[in-house]
Amino acid sequence: MAIIVIGGGLAGVEATWQIVRRGESVILYEMRPQKTTPAHKTAYLAELVCSNSLRSQEVTTAVGLLKEEMRRLGSLVMEAAEKTAVPAGKALAVDRERFAQYITQKITTHPLVEIRHEEVTEIPRNDIVILATGPLTSDAISEDLKRITGKEHLHFYDAIAPIVYADSINMNIAFFASRYGKGEDYINCPLNEEEYNRFYEALLKAERVPLHAFEEPRYFEGCLPIEVMAERGKDTLRFGPMKPVGIIDPRTGKQPYAVVQLRRDNKEGTLYNMVGFQTKLKWSEQKRVFRLIPGLEQAEFARYGSIHRNTFIDAPRVLDKYLRLKNLPNVFIAGQLSGVEGYVESAATGILAGINAVRLLKNMPLFSPPPTTALGAMISHLTNIVTKDFQPSNINWGLFPRLPKKVPKRERGKLYAARALNDLEKWIREIINE
Ligand SMILES: Cc1cc2nc3c(=O)[nH]c(=O)nc-3n(C[C@H](O)[C@H](O)[C@H](O)COP(=O)(O)OP(=O)(O)OC[C@H]3O[C@@H](n4cnc5c(N)ncnc54)[C@H](O)[C@@H]3O)c2cc1C
């Protein structure tokens, strides 16, 4: 039985590296340059398709912590990033050409790696496979994946609404309620006519992210960006995601003019999702415009909204905690396709898939990282079956188990990081000792 990695992007190279570090050989399929994706421009492995930043370096941020964990697990992406870094303040940014060249050279010259520049159109059923074909997975293999997962479990667009930290919502204005008094599941932000008009005008004028050519007209009616909905008329939002019917503001005893509802997004109740607020506004504009909503004037965003072309699976329904397909357990899914979001997150899942692929080959029990680590927190998000409408997420503190006691916000990052690195070290010792 061979180990096959499909896709030489960020996740694929990390997986490949972990396998060869453990002395096993691997066949890596990468379709470029024979066939390319709409976003890639070179023939290099691990090409960064957009920004050259791997975000914050500080270990007291969730993405900084994830990078530190990756370093400790022997990440090739982190090694390359450090060798090819360019000045970027507190962020880790790279010279994209040198970064991809460095990784390509390391992988292609490794004696245990065989590279095949071909498009894979069917997932091999009799080998150990790591499928890491990314957000722009080619059509043929998407079709095959659909056959395995069921077509309702493979998605081609993100329609992500912003997520805010619960403790940054002003509950002197916002209130818990479900429509028609049926429970208290949502946080509701009420707007009067004047507040609605102000918000509406700002939304129409806000700056948007330009679409990529291959993304242009493909919005689904069910998940139109909020600003596109607003363009259809002044009251469209009041009859759509901001409709106030069935909601009574306990402070006035009346139905507000409009309402923004936020739905709980994690078990702990620390994150709330702005229902129906998927958007293509620039991040800075989202912060400015959404803070005009009463109750959100100081809102801190764990994740901003977005809509883009992205192939990803309905992870909670189809993946196990080792990143394997539940109904085809020789196949691991890594990278953006698994339902994580971002360069660093994609690469990190490649590490885990690589480690476990070797363990599967050797008939050893598989490993899942502790949920208190950044890597483990991502796995918890991917496998949280409570989530009905699963959407990809960047790493953020809201995905971590709560700290044992309440601490001031500025202390939190330090405590999350200390707990994570302590648990990670124990886990690494377990991996090494077995
Ligand atoms: C347009 C765009 C811009 C993005 N910008 C950012 C950003 O600025 N910052 C950020 O953090 N994240 C960004 N992302 C999200 C994501 O982090 C990156 O796409 C990241 O590269 C994902 O890593 P990956 O390994 O999962 O996929 P990729 O890096 O895309 O690697 C997948 C590889 O698989 C190959 N492949 C696909 N199908 C097949 C097949 N059938 N057979 C063989 N090979 C195949 C592809 O050629 C590709 O090399 C962006 C995504 C897109 C689509």
Side-chain angles (χ1 to χ4, degrees):
M1 198 183 256
I3 304 184
I4 295 175
V5 175
I6 309 174
L10 293 163
V13 297
E14 285 285 33
T16 301
W17 194 243
Q18 292 293 327
I19 295 162
V20 296
R21 281 181 80 209
R22 286 167 174 74
E24 298 300 330
S25 56
V26 56
I27 302 168
L28 170 61
Y29 284 93
E30 169 49 59
M31 66 179 185
R32 288 175 295 118
Q34 265 70 11
K35 178 169 180 176
T36 191
T37 78
H40 288 84
K41 300 203 166 55
T42 74
Y44 293 132
L45 303 175
E47 177 182 334
L48 300 176
V49 285
C50 188
S51 158
N52 67 332
S53 171
L54 305 187
R55 304 170 12 239
S56 176
Q57 272 282 40
E58 291 183 286
V59 76
T60 51
T61 63
V63 74
L65 172 64
L66 179 59
K67 287 201 283 286
E68 179 55 26
E69 293 180 8
M70 291 166 69
R71 282 184 199 104
R72 294 185 188 199
L73 288 163
S75 159
L76 177 60
V77 165
M78 284 299 107
E79 181 184 312
E82 270 133 39
K83 291 266 190 318
T84 62
V86 296
K90 288 178 178 166
L92 175 59
V94 300
D95 174 323
R96 70 176 71 239
E97 181 93 5
R98 289 181 53 232
F99 170 82
Q101 260 171 5
Y102 182 93
I103 292 177
T104 304
Q105 205 263 344
K106 282 274 189 178
I107 296 279
T108 51
T109 58
H110 198 287
L112 291 173
V113 181
E114 178 190 334
I115 300 213
R116 298 185 187 166
H117 286 285
E118 296 167 30
E119 178 190 4
V120 180
T121 54
E122 234 175 69
I123 298 165
R125 303 296 200 264
N126 298 319
D127 292 292
I128 294 174
V129 175
I130 296 176
L131 187 63
T133 42
L136 304 168
T137 292
S138 75
D139 293 345
I141 205 161
S142 297
E143 283 304 313
D144 193 34
L145 185 56
K146 238 193 258 176
R147 279 193 284 276
I148 299 169
T149 61
K151 71 172 183 323
E152 68 282 17
H153 295 310
L154 185 66
H155 304 296
F156 295 96
Y157 277 83
D158 278 340
I160 291 184
I163 289 183
V164 299
Y165 287 105
D167 60 5
S168 69
I169 302 173
N170 179 358
M171 295 306 289
N172 291 324
I173 294 177
F175 55 93
F176 281 100
S178 297
R179 258 179 236 287
Y180 305 110
K182 290 184 186 149
E184 298 214 315
D185 290 346
Y186 291 84
I187 292 181
N188 299 273
C189 298
L191 293 91
N192 62 30
E193 187 169 356
E194 193 190 327
E195 288 160 344
Y196 178 80
N197 289 342
R198 191 159 48 112
F199 168 73
Y200 177 75
E201 293 303 327
L203 181 62
L204 284 186
K205 288 191 201 120
E207 224 184 316
R208 303 172 189 188
V209 181
L211 292 174
H212 291 274
F214 59 90
E215 290 181 318
E216 214 81 54
R218 304 270 308 269
Y219 295 132
F220 300 119
E221 274 301 302
C223 57
L224 282 180
I226 186 98
E227 61 279 7
V228 172
M229 245 183 282
E231 278 170 350
R232 294 184 170 182
K234 195 154 187 185
D235 283 328
T236 309
L237 295 178
R238 291 208 315 122
F239 289 98
M242 293 177 76
K243 72 169 180 273
V245 289
I247 293 173
I248 301 297
D249 183 343
R251 282 177 199 92
T252 61
K254 290 195 190 126
Q255 179 175 300
Y257 188 72
V259 165
V260 174
Q261 288 205 300
L262 295 102
R263 190 196 305 120
R264 190 172 163 146
D265 203 75
N266 63 346
K267 264 202 304 266
E268 286 79 12
T270 52
L271 296 177
Y272 274 78
N273 191 312
M274 296 176 68
V275 180
F277 269 60
Q278 56 275 1
T279 175
K280 285 292 272 189
L281 296 192
K282 290 192 164 167
W283 285 8
S284 55
E285 291 288 83
Q286 292 186 36
K287 186 167 170 179
R288 182 179 67 78
V289 175
F290 297 155
R291 280 183 166 188
L292 295 174
I293 296 165
L296 300 186
E297 53 294 342
Q298 301 290 331
E300 294 293 337
F301 292 84
R303 179 183 83 182
Y304 286 100
S306 68
I307 299 180
H308 54 91
R309 166 91 191 270
N310 185 20
T311 316
F312 67 98
I313 51 165
D314 181 9
R317 254 56 62 188
V318 304
L319 278 194
D320 71 10
K321 62 178 178 172
Y322 311 113
L323 296 175
R324 294 183 305 175
L325 287 176
K326 285 179 189 163
N327 60 358
L328 199 57
N330 275 7
V331 177
F332 295 85
I333 309 284
Q336 191 98 355
L337 183 61
S338 70
V340 296
E341 170 71 38
Y343 296 150
V344 183
E345 291 84 343
S346 295
T349 55
I351 295 180
L352 186 61
I355 293 173
N356 275 329
V358 172
R359 296 183 70 84
L360 187 62
L361 183 77
K362 294 181 170 170
N363 279 321
M364 292 164 83
L366 305 193
F367 273 133
S368 188
T372 47
T373 61
L375 194 50
M378 287 198 306
I379 302 299
S380 302
H381 175 66
L382 295 183
T383 54
N384 177 10
I385 48 165
V386 176
T387 329
K388 286 206 184 69
D389 175 24
F390 173 77
Q391 289 292 338
S393 178
N394 284 124
I395 185 72
N396 64 69
W397 294 133
L399 306 182
F400 289 67
R402 275 180 203 267
L403 291 166
K405 58 179 196 286
K406 244 183 149 26
V407 286
K409 223 183 201 160
R410 60 177 188 287
E411 302 281 312
R412 255 179 247 173
K414 214 162 65 191
L415 294 177
Y416 275 124
R419 179 178 71 174
L421 293 176
N422 186 38
D423 291 352
L424 183 83
E425 283 305 321
K426 281 193 229 147
W427 185 63
I428 291 177
R429 280 197 293 277
E430 239 181 276
I431 302 178
I432 293 168
N433 290 339
E434 256 204 58

